[in-house]
C-alpha cells in the first residue's frame, strides 16, 4: 500500500497539488502579516503540507481526537471560521472545486477530484481541525 500511496501522491503533486499547496502557503504568509492572523497562518501551513501530499493523511476535529474542547473547537473557533471563510476560505474552496472539475474529466483523475472536494470542504472551516496519518 505504501508504494501505491507514493504513486498517487506524486501524481497528485504534478496534477494540481503543487498549485493548491502554494495557494495555502500564500494564504498563510498573508495571515502572518498581522499578529491576530498567526493562528490562521499556522493552520494554513499545516493544511498546505497536507495539500502537497494528501494520500495517507486525513483531517479530523480536534474535539474528536482529544476528547475535550479547546479554544479552536468552541465559540471562538466558530467566529474564527466565519472570518476565515470571508477572507480566504471561499477563494481556496473555489480553487479546489476548479481543480476537482478538471480531474473529474478523466477516469484516472476521479480519486484526485474526490481529494480536491475533501480539501474544498476543509478550506471552508479549518479552525478546530487537525491533520493526522491514516491508521
Amino acid at each position: 500500500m505504501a508504494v501505491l500511496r507514493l504513486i498517487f501522491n506524486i501524481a497528485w503533486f504534478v496534477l494540481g497539488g503543487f498549485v493548491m499547496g502554494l495557494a495555502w502557503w500564500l494564504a498563510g504568509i498573508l495571515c502572518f502579516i498581522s499578529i491576530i492572523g498567526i493562528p490562521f497562518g499556522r493552520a494554513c501551513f499545516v493544511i498546505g503540507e497536507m495539500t502537497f501530499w494528501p494520500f495517507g493523511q486525513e483531517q479530523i476535529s480536534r474535539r474528536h481526537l482529544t476528547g475535550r474542547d479547546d479554544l479552536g473547537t468552541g465559540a471562538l473557533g466558530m467566529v474564527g471560521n466565519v472570518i476565515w471563510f470571508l477572507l480566504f476560505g471561499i477563494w481556496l474552496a473555489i480553487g479546489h472545486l476548479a481543480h476537482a472539475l478538471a480531474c473529474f474529466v478523466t477516469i484516472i483523475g476521479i480519486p484526485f477530484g474526490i481529494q480536491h472536494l475533501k480539501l474544498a470542504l476543509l478550506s471552508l472551516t479549518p479552525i478546530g481541525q487537525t491533520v493526522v496519518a491514516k491508521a
Side-chain angles (χ1 to χ4, degrees), residues 63-84:
R63 179 181 299 145
H64 290 99
L65 183 66
T66 62
R68 57 188 166 89
D69 286 334
D70 62 13
L71 194 61
T73 60
L76 286 177
M78 185 181 72
V79 171
N81 276 324
V82 170
I83 294 168
W84 168 262

Side-chain angles (χ1 to χ4, degrees), residues 54-66:
F55 294 98
Q57 299 183 42
E58 64 182 338
Q59 59 87 21
I60 61 170
S61 171
R62 283 198 315 263
R63 179 181 299 145
H64 290 99
L65 183 66
T66 62

Side-chain angles (χ1 to χ4, degrees), residues 65-120:
L65 183 66
T66 62
R68 57 188 166 89
D69 286 334
D70 62 13
L71 194 61
T73 60
L76 286 177
M78 185 181 72
V79 171
N81 276 324
V82 170
I83 294 168
W84 168 262
F85 175 79
L86 295 173
L87 295 177
F88 297 107
I90 189 72
W91 304 111
L92 288 168
I94 289 170
H96 281 295
L97 289 175
H99 278 91
L101 289 175
C103 288
F104 282 135
V105 171
T106 66
I107 292 174
I108 295 173
I110 290 174
F112 304 120
I114 292 170
Q115 194 66 37
H116 273 297
L117 293 178
K118 290 178 186 177
L119 287 166

